[in-house]
Amino acid sequence: QSALTQPASVSGSPGQSITISCTGTSSDVGGYNYVSWYQQHPGKAPKLMIYDVSNRPSGVSNRFSGSKSGNTASLTISGLQAEDEADYYCSSYTSSSFVVFGGGTKLTVL
Amino acid sequence: EVQLVESGGGLVQPGGSLRLSCAASGFTFSSYWMHWVRQAPGKGLVWVSRINSDGSSTSYADSVKGRFTISRDNAKNTLYLQMNSLRAEDTAVYYCARVLVDSYGRIQYYYMDVWGKGTTVTVSS
């Protein structure tokens, strides 16, 4: 099972909005609305930010939003803050195994 | 406090075996599906395996199928990962994670909302 495709890095200035893409296939992202996003700070465990494409778990800021079109899902962070600097991973249910993650995107807040 | 604590990691030679444990507390462990996810040094997250709440159903990534076995002891609130025939590419931090139960009480099998801090496995001669 190949990892979902994410850009290696994105950057933005405080207050701006950024979008991270996550491209899969019809066997994962495109075939199911079981896409999620995780935030991971260095040396820490991942944190669930978005599930079911666009739902936020309790306690997650509404600055984080998700969407999907075809085989590509997206995470948008608005009003960028310094503490948003982290690695972000998408994941999806996949018919071939169970869950597949993306390769990760490093977000730099300039 | 809801908590997951992994243990059992260490240095092992190629071809060797290791059993990881994940002790759960602060929630009804027997009601939750659980996952193992790993992360090689400087690399991304990779899903490894999952088990349902009573241990009767499991799934594995192709890269570990036939070598790793996930299991659980609900009486001990503990999740396990038995790793055999270890390879250098299995070197990683291994996290156990609990599936999300949403605000409606629905089990969200593919999402993990509580993670442990991880245990490090190094496969090297």
Side-chain angles (χ1 to χ4, degrees):
Chain A
Q1 174 62 46
S2 299
L4 306 175
T5 301
Q6 298 180 233
S9 63
V10 298
S11 63
S13 299
Q16 287 186 331
S17 294
I18 64 94
T19 296
I20 300 172
S21 63
C22 169
T23 301
T25 69
S26 58
S27 296
D28 39 65
V29 174
Y32 310 91
N33 289 325
Y34 298 134
V35 176
S36 59
W37 291 89
Y38 296 85
Q39 175 193 64
Q40 187 181 34
H41 287 106
K44 301 294 187 182
K47 175 185 178 183
L48 180 65
M49 305 302 284
I50 295 286
Y51 70 97
D52 279 355
V53 176
S54 60
N55 289 339
R56 282 186 305 276
S58 174
V60 172
S61 170
N62 59 9
R63 297 186 298 105
F64 292 82
S65 62
S67 62
K68 191 187 87 166
S69 178
N71 293 340
T72 299
S74 298
L75 172 71
T76 297
I77 308 174
S78 59
L80 210 55
Q81 299 179 0
E83 58 261 37
D84 298 332
E85 185 163 295
D87 294 326
Y88 290 84
Y89 295 90
C90 63
S91 83
S92 173
Y93 168 77
T94 168
S95 57
S96 62
S97 56
F98 195 76
V99 168
V100 61
F101 284 95
T105 297
K106 181 177 179 60
L107 169 61
T108 300
V109 180
L110 302 170
Chain B
E1 180 192 5
V2 174
Q3 197 171 12
L4 297 171
V5 179
E6 302 94 338
S7 61
L11 175 64
V12 61
Q13 292 188 338
S17 297
L18 214 52
R19 189 177 82 156
L20 306 184
S21 299
C22 169
S25 59
F27 65 100
T28 306
F29 178 71
S30 59
S31 297
Y32 286 81
W33 286 36
M34 298 292 294
H35 294 263
W36 285 100
V37 175
R38 69 184 182 185
Q39 186 169 34
K43 302 296 185 180
L45 302 174
V46 176
W47 177 78
V48 173
S49 183
R50 67 89 185 162
I51 189 167
N52 70 344
S53 56
D54 67 6
S56 63
S57 173
T58 59
S59 297
Y60 299 92
D62 287 346
S63 58
V64 307
K65 201 173 294 183
R67 300 188 299 122
F68 290 12
T69 302
I70 189 172
S71 63
R72 64 192 298 159
D73 185 336
N74 286 341
K76 295 183 177 179
N77 291 335
T78 304
L79 175 73
Y80 302 102
L81 186 67
Q82 176 67 43
M83 304 186 297
N84 299 330
S85 303
L86 282 161
R87 307 165 179 167
E89 53 264 35
D90 295 318
T91 294
V93 174
Y94 284 74
Y95 295 100
C96 64
R98 186 190 79 171
V99 299
L100 169 73
V101 174
D102 67 19
S103 55
Y104 300 97
R106 297 174 302 198
I107 302 171
Q108 299 286 355
Y109 301 106
Y110 317 116
Y111 314 123
M112 304 147 216
D113 72 332
V114 177
W115 296 66
K117 295 184 186 301
T119 186
T120 300
V121 172
T122 303
V123 183
S124 175
S125 55

